[in-house]
Amino acid sequence: MTDSKSKTGRVAFVGIGVMGREMARNLAQAGHDVIAYDIVPGAVSALAEYGVRAAASISGAVRQADIVVSMLPDTPQVEMLVHGPDGLLAMPPKGRLFVDMSTIAPEATRRMGEALLAAGIDMVDAPVSGGPGGARDARLSIMAGGSVPAFEAALPYLRAMGTTINHVGGPGAGQAVKLCNQLVCALNIQAICEALSLGRSFGIDLAQMREVLKGGSANSWMLDNLGAAMIEGDTSAGFRIDLMMKDLRLVLDAARQGPVPLPATALVAAQYMEAQAHGEGANGNQALFRVYDRLAGLERGQPAGRAA
Ligand code: NAD
């Protein structure tokens, strides 16, 4: 059953941040009746012009929803949405379907899925890749885990937010694939930082070098989307250093449980920690290049070029 106001179904959206605000807007623009909640008062108000209504509490948002979608920072916030006094187990949504699109721990996802299923609520984990631009343009890559019927029920809503949508396995499988995705992203950013650092030491024009790399087999999404900002020293976020560090922590936790040795990931995680220790946590991921500035002594006024 859908609300008479909506063409396709009522969505409760929890977490209206950098990604969530674009995704909620796309759901509204696809004709869904969206009611949103964020812990920061006022976060939802910018979406009023798209018809997104603000709820004062989680239960106020989810009670009448056909589907609940979350885009929250980390595992504890999603656990609170599920298990909290105001959460999904205490106040089940009418449609009994929950899609978590945050990046969180696969094991915790599996446990929440079991608890929800016992209460008659289906959970789909559907983390995304594509950044704020992909969220804005409804071109996200979405990797989903959960039962086939739950995935199929979620699909019409996922199509309003993404273009590449894959069901990759049972509960938690979407998060497992997302962690593999993040490992590749972090190591790719690190590789670009190292190449720019070496190119700089030769006195090469880095903007031109980026164009050359983009034209050949070294091209990547990261080089395309973050390379110019690295070279220009623009550290504005996008995808924050803090969030990638959270993802690398999830990757290394999962690797320890395997156990799976991931030596390169351990190294890049240490570099992200160094960036956080220098107060860069709220900056975009391209600020990893500043770790290389520091390694090269540039912050102490060392020349960027080769030693004579
Ligand atoms: P964000 O911090 O901008 O947004 C999170 C939002 O959740 C904030 O508005 C915050 O106020 C809200 N929030 C926090 N705790 C809450 C609670 N208990 N109840 C309700 N609202 C709460 O983060 P983001 O960049 O939008 O990322 C969200 C998730 O998506 C993260 O898991 C991140 O790893 C993942 N992700 C981000 C990107 C990106 O490029 N930013 C890309 C892919 C995936």
Side-chain angles (χ1 to χ4, degrees), residues 111-130:
R111 285 196 298 273
M112 282 187 277
E114 280 171 17
L116 286 162
L117 197 58
I121 302 168
D122 275 322
M123 177 172 178
V124 174
D125 49 300
V128 308
S129 181

Side-chain angles (χ1 to χ4, degrees), residues 14-21 23 37-40 43 58 71-74 76-78 80-81 101-104 127-133 140 178 182 238-240 243-244 246-247:
V14 182
I16 301 293
V18 169
M19 298 292 283
R21 73 173 77 106
M23 295 156 74
Y37 172 75
D38 193 285
I39 202 166
V40 174
I58 289 174
M71 196 56 174
L72 291 163
D74 198 353
Q77 291 82 26
V78 181
M80 188 58 105
L81 171 60
M101 304 188 75
S102 333
T103 304
I104 68 165
V128 308
S129 181
L140 290 168
K178 173 66 182 177
Q182 292 310 87
F239 185 53
R240 297 194 305 276
L243 283 178
M244 181 62 99
K246 178 262 300 183
D247 293 349

Side-chain angles (χ1 to χ4, degrees), residues 84-238:
D86 192 27
L88 302 181
L89 287 169
M91 319 234 174
K94 189 182 70 170
R96 300 198 165 260
L97 179 60
F98 170 46
V99 179
D100 177 41
M101 304 188 75
S102 333
T103 304
I104 68 165
E107 267 308 308
T109 296
R110 278 230 307 255
R111 285 196 298 273
M112 282 187 277
E114 280 171 17
L116 286 162
L117 197 58
I121 302 168
D122 275 322
M123 177 172 178
V124 174
D125 49 300
V128 308
S129 181
R136 182 193 60 229
D137 301 339
R139 295 185 58 81
L140 290 168
S141 172
I142 301 174
M143 42 218 106
S147 73
V148 171
F151 171 70
E152 284 175 353
L155 200 49
Y157 301 90
L158 299 179
R159 285 198 178 115
M161 297 179 275
T163 43
T164 306
I165 304 170
N166 287 291
H167 183 225
V168 294
Q175 295 295 355
V177 173
K178 173 66 182 177
L179 294 191
C180 299
N181 183 85
Q182 292 310 87
L183 177 165
V184 173
C185 290
L187 291 175
N188 190 231
I189 293 168
Q190 183 202 46
I192 295 165
C193 289
E194 298 217 344
L196 292 177
S197 212
L198 182 64
R200 176 170 62 188
S201 79
F202 279 110
I204 299 287
D205 176 339
L206 295 183
Q208 188 186 27
M209 182 172 115
R210 172 172 167 266
E211 288 307 316
V212 173
L213 298 189
K214 275 176 56 167
S217 53
N219 192 25
S220 68
W221 190 98
M222 290 298 169
L223 187 63
D224 206 20
N225 285 271
L226 298 186
M230 278 183 195
I231 294 164
E232 289 156 15
D234 170 6
T235 56
S236 57

Side-chain angles (χ1 to χ4, degrees), residues 29 73 79 82 123 125 135 140 151 206 233 240 260 276 282 299 306:
Q29 290 187 316
E79 287 178 329
V82 171
M123 177 172 178
D125 49 300
L140 290 168
F151 171 70
L206 295 183
R240 297 194 305 276
V260 184
Q276 285 182 313
E299 299 226 321
R306 316 204 129 240

Side-chain angles (χ1 to χ4, degrees), residues 19-78:
M19 298 292 283
R21 73 173 77 106
E22 306 291 348
M23 295 156 74
R25 178 183 50 72
N26 282 321
L27 283 162
Q29 290 187 316
H32 298 289
D33 179 19
V34 182
I35 179 161
Y37 172 75
D38 193 285
I39 202 166
V40 174
V44 184
S45 53
L47 297 177
E49 63 178 297
Y50 304 102
V52 176
R53 292 174 295 135
S57 63
I58 289 174
S59 59
V62 308
R63 216 174 296 134
Q64 293 304 315
D66 295 297
I67 180 172
V68 178
V69 179
S70 57
M71 196 56 174
L72 291 163
D74 198 353
T75 311
Q77 291 82 26
V78 181

